[in-house]
């Protein structure tokens, strides 16, 4: 039979706040590190404070950690002061790896060299059964640590090509707002930018409860990115070709994409056979000519939806589609929401920011 003191001790331990480590590195952005720290600190504490004027018990204890534990002069000229350093015997309930400010063309070998200590600690922590959550480009470190091979993952849309070129065995789902994978679903990833808030809400829901996550979202006024990253993606990322003929065709297509059959006309202008033109275009830009034209049309449509009051049917016609329904389906497939939803989302934002 348990004694009174043992029962009291057991009760205290059962109410121990879960500890979430937030990894700080010199390439981290201070706003995400401290933002996640503030978000997690508020769980259980702030809801009763704003509704009843009483501070509640903190249900999560965030700890900012770094390899050495020393202050970090990070990007954007901000200083990060870790609470502690990483150690072999340190085993928090979960670890957050947030935005890493690196060149989208960085070599994997450079990541491995720059974050050698952090990557080794993450590997060891994972082997011991730890849960690792990444937001935005934090997933690059998970990939560099070898934790994402044959696993579903997501990252910032601008780094998808990096993943595809360097980690082909990773099952990338860039349009998902949140992905969980790995043994026991212990790998958790959110997309780009402010998706670290989505990640924070998911961690609260998973480890504390859905009700607390909803309360936190209400207090912090956080809106879930239900449509993922697609509405924010800049589609026309094809590089300008060093192939002079194809480069000229890119310029011409950018000025004439609204034509009925722009690819056919571009082929004629090039003096190449259709097969050769398509092969060289794909080799030079990474896209087929028709994919290139589609991205040009969709990007122009997005701009018009944001800045004009033209009906969707008129915009469809302006960018080369006589059938507005067909245009709507193409737009929805590439952007993830309908033209009307896109206009509501971004035209309103543009209006308020003027």
């Amino acid at each position: 039979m348990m004694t009174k003191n043992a029962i009291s001790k057991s009760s205290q331990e059962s109410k121990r706040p879960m500890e979430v480590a937030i990894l700080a590195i010199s390439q981290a952005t201070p706003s995400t590190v401290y933002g996640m720290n503030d978000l997690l600190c508020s769980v259980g504490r702030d809801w009763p404070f704003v509704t009843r004027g009483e501070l509640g018990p903190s249900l999560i204890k965030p700890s900012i950690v770094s390899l050495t534990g020393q202050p970090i002069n990070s990007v954007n000229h901000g200083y990060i002061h870790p609470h502690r350093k990483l150690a072999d015997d340190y085993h928090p309930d979960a670890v957050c790896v947030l935005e890493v400010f690196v060149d989208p063309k960085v070599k994997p070998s450079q990541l491995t060299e720059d974050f050698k200590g952090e990557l080794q600690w993450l590997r060891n922590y994972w082997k011991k059964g730890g849960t690792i959550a990444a937001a935005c480009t934090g997933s690059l470190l998970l990939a560099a640590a070898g934790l994402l091979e044959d696993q579903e993952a997501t990252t910032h849309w601008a780094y998808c090509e990096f993943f595809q070129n360097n980690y082909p065995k990773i099952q990338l789902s860039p349009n998902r707002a949140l992905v969980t994978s790995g043994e026991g679903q212990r790998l958790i990833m959110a997309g780009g930018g402010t998706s670290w808030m989505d990640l924070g809400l998911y961690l609260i829901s998973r480890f504390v409860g859905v009700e607390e996550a909803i309360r936190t979202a209400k207090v912090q006024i956080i809106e879930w990115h239900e449509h993922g990253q697609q509405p924010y993606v800049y589609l026309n990322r094809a590089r300008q070709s060093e192939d002079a003929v194809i480069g000229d065709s890119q310029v011409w297509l950018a000025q004439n994409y609204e034509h009925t059959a722009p690819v056919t006309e571009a082929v004629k202008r090039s003096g190449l056979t259709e097969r050769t033109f398509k092969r060289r275009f794909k080799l030079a830009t990474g896209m087929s000519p028709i994919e290139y034209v589609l991205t040009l049309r969709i990007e122009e449509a997005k701009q018009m939806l944001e800045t004009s009051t033209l009906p969707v049917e008129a915009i469809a016609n302006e960018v080369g589609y006589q059938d507005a329904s067909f245009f709507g389906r193409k737009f929805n497939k590439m952007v993830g929401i309908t033209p009307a939803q896109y206009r509501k989302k971004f035209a309103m934002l543009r209006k308020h920011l003027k």
Side-chain angles (χ1 to χ4, degrees), residues 47-267:
W47 178 259
F49 182 68
V50 300
T51 58
R52 302 194 304 270
E54 302 172 358
L55 285 173
S58 294
L59 302 178
I60 296 180
K61 176 189 175 186
S63 295
I64 300 173
V65 301
S66 70
L67 190 62
T68 65
Q70 297 300 311
I72 297 171
N73 185 9
S74 66
V75 297
N76 302 336
H77 311 293
Y79 277 89
I80 300 176
H81 295 268
H83 297 119
R84 61 163 299 154
K85 69 176 182 178
L86 295 174
D88 292 339
D89 61 350
Y90 178 52
H91 193 88
D93 297 291
V95 174
C96 286
V97 186
L98 305 177
E99 183 178 358
V100 182
F101 192 79
V102 295
D103 190 332
K105 297 179 181 178
V106 65
K107 295 181 179 179
S109 58
Q110 189 65 53
L111 288 175
T112 303
E113 181 61 31
D114 289 348
F115 305 109
K116 186 184 301 182
E118 290 89 348
L119 295 180
Q120 188 57 52
W121 188 90
L122 287 171
R123 292 188 196 100
N124 293 337
Y125 174 75
W126 172 255
K127 290 177 182 177
K128 295 175 183 176
T131 296
I132 304 177
C136 195
T137 47
S139 56
L140 270 67
L141 295 195
L142 274 60
L147 302 179
L148 299 182
E149 190 166 310
D150 297 322
Q151 300 296 331
E152 187 179 11
T154 191
T155 190
H156 189 286
W157 59 263
Y159 291 77
C160 291
E161 187 175 352
F162 168 83
F163 268 76
Q164 291 162 354
N165 292 340
N166 297 290
Y167 302 104
K169 291 187 177 182
I170 295 175
Q171 301 165 22
L172 198 64
S173 299
N175 299 326
R176 294 272 301 277
L178 193 90
V179 168
T180 60
S181 59
E183 180 184 346
Q185 303 294 291
R186 291 186 290 114
L187 294 173
I188 309 163
M189 284 155 281
T194 56
S195 65
W196 65 264
M197 297 182 188
D198 297 350
L199 183 69
L201 290 180
Y202 177 81
L203 289 173
I204 296 165
S205 175
R206 178 162 165 173
F207 293 105
V208 181
V210 174
E211 192 63 35
E212 284 298 337
I214 292 174
R215 288 174 177 173
T216 302
K218 288 180 178 179
V219 172
Q220 304 294 340
I221 316 179
I222 298 174
E223 182 178 355
W224 185 266
H225 293 89
E226 61 179 311
H227 296 296
Q229 297 188 86
Q230 273 185 287
Y232 303 89
V233 174
Y234 178 61
L235 297 172
N236 187 22
R237 303 194 303 277
R239 56 188 177 277
Q240 194 68 26
S241 174
E242 295 180 0
D243 183 325
V245 174
I246 300 304
D248 178 70
S249 296
Q250 284 182 275
V251 173
W252 187 86
L253 286 170
Q255 297 171 345
N256 298 276
Y257 56 81
E258 75 282 1
H259 287 200
T260 303
V263 174
T264 300
E265 293 183 51
V267 172

Side-chain angles (χ1 to χ4, degrees), residues 36-48:
M36 182 65 85
N37 182 81
D38 290 345
L39 178 65
L40 297 180
C41 273
S42 73
V43 180
R45 183 194 66 184
D46 290 7
W47 178 259

